[in-house]
Amino acid sequence: MNNVFRGHGFLGLEGVWKDGEVEVTLVNVYSPCDLEGKRALWRELSKYKANSNVTRWCVMGDYNSIRYGRERVGERLGPQGGREMEGFNQLIEDLELCDIPLVRRSFIWYRPNGKAKSRIDRVLLSIDWLTTWQGCTQYVLNRIVSGHCPLVVRNNLFDWVPKPFKILNC
């Protein structure tokens, strides 16, 4: 690990991936629910990426935003929904990230009664990340503790031994 950084709704690590000795940036996102809070997060993250020399980025977590209307069922988008989707898609473009394929489910968050669901969590990877590790896919596991399903990034071209998934029930 070479550097730790944080901002309004995210925590990032820069370091060297042991396998291949390549520099990577990993960012965990927990976005606010309000549009202004999301915009602040997007600005800070864009500014940090613009000043970074590392080209392999993995930005993952709960964005509390969807990219397309079909990614939310059972809840209205609200008056700011279109602007929010537009801003989120612009962030992905500005950061030069790719939304990798999702396997097993279309939705990641479920309301307890099951009547509302959406895809507000995701893993976004840079082109250089995907060039270095081709075949990355995000798998949706069964939800156990929270309304969110865990995501696992898997490289279909390499068989890394299974790692145990752990969560703190806090």
Side-chain angles (χ1 to χ4, degrees):
M1 184 170 53
N2 299 332
N3 186 27
V4 176
F5 59 95
R6 63 182 169 164
H8 183 79
F10 67 89
L11 176 64
L13 304 171
E14 286 181 346
V16 177
W17 196 271
K18 255 183 147 174
D19 182 35
E21 297 293 321
V22 293
E23 288 186 306
V24 298
T25 299
L26 304 172
V27 181
N28 185 32
V29 173
Y30 183 70
S31 179
C33 292
D34 65 290
L35 184 55
E36 277 311 307
K38 291 175 189 177
R39 286 180 175 161
L41 182 152
W42 299 341
R43 280 189 303 272
E44 282 185 65
L45 195 53
S46 294
K47 185 178 177 181
Y48 191 86
K49 174 114 177 10
N51 293 319
S52 174
N53 294 324
V54 179
T55 60
R56 288 174 197 87
W57 278 60
C58 174
V59 185
M60 64 205 130
D62 183 352
Y63 294 90
N64 277 315
S65 292
I66 58 172
R67 296 191 67 193
Y68 310 104
R70 66 179 178 270
E71 293 181 345
R72 179 167 289 150
V73 174
E75 284 186 341
R76 293 181 336 129
L77 288 176
Q80 296 183 1
R83 289 191 304 249
E84 182 177 307
M85 284 188 291
E86 186 179 301
F88 185 44
N89 283 312
Q90 187 63 52
L91 169 75
I92 293 169
E93 186 176 320
D94 291 347
L95 296 180
E96 299 174 318
L97 299 173
C98 299
D99 196 359
I100 60 175
L102 187 66
V103 177
R104 292 196 181 145
R105 294 178 188 224
S106 299
F107 301 101
I108 289 145
W109 174 84
Y110 294 83
R111 191 170 291 293
N113 64 12
K115 294 185 180 187
K117 51 191 174 183
S118 65
R119 184 176 177 208
I120 56 176
D121 304 341
R122 61 184 77 226
V123 178
L124 303 170
L125 301 175
S126 68
I127 298 290
D128 282 353
W129 184 290
L130 291 170
T131 301
T132 304
W133 298 291
Q134 298 174 16
C136 289
T137 304
Q138 50 186 326
Y139 285 81
V140 182
L141 304 179
N142 293 328
R143 64 188 170 112
I144 299 169
V145 177
S146 78
H148 296 261
C149 298
L151 289 174
V152 173
V153 174
R154 181 173 178 205
N155 187 309
N156 294 325
L157 302 179
F158 296 98
D159 188 16
W160 294 320
V161 295
K163 304 287 190 266
F165 176 79
K166 297 178 183 177
I167 186 168
L168 297 175
N169 186 4
C170 300

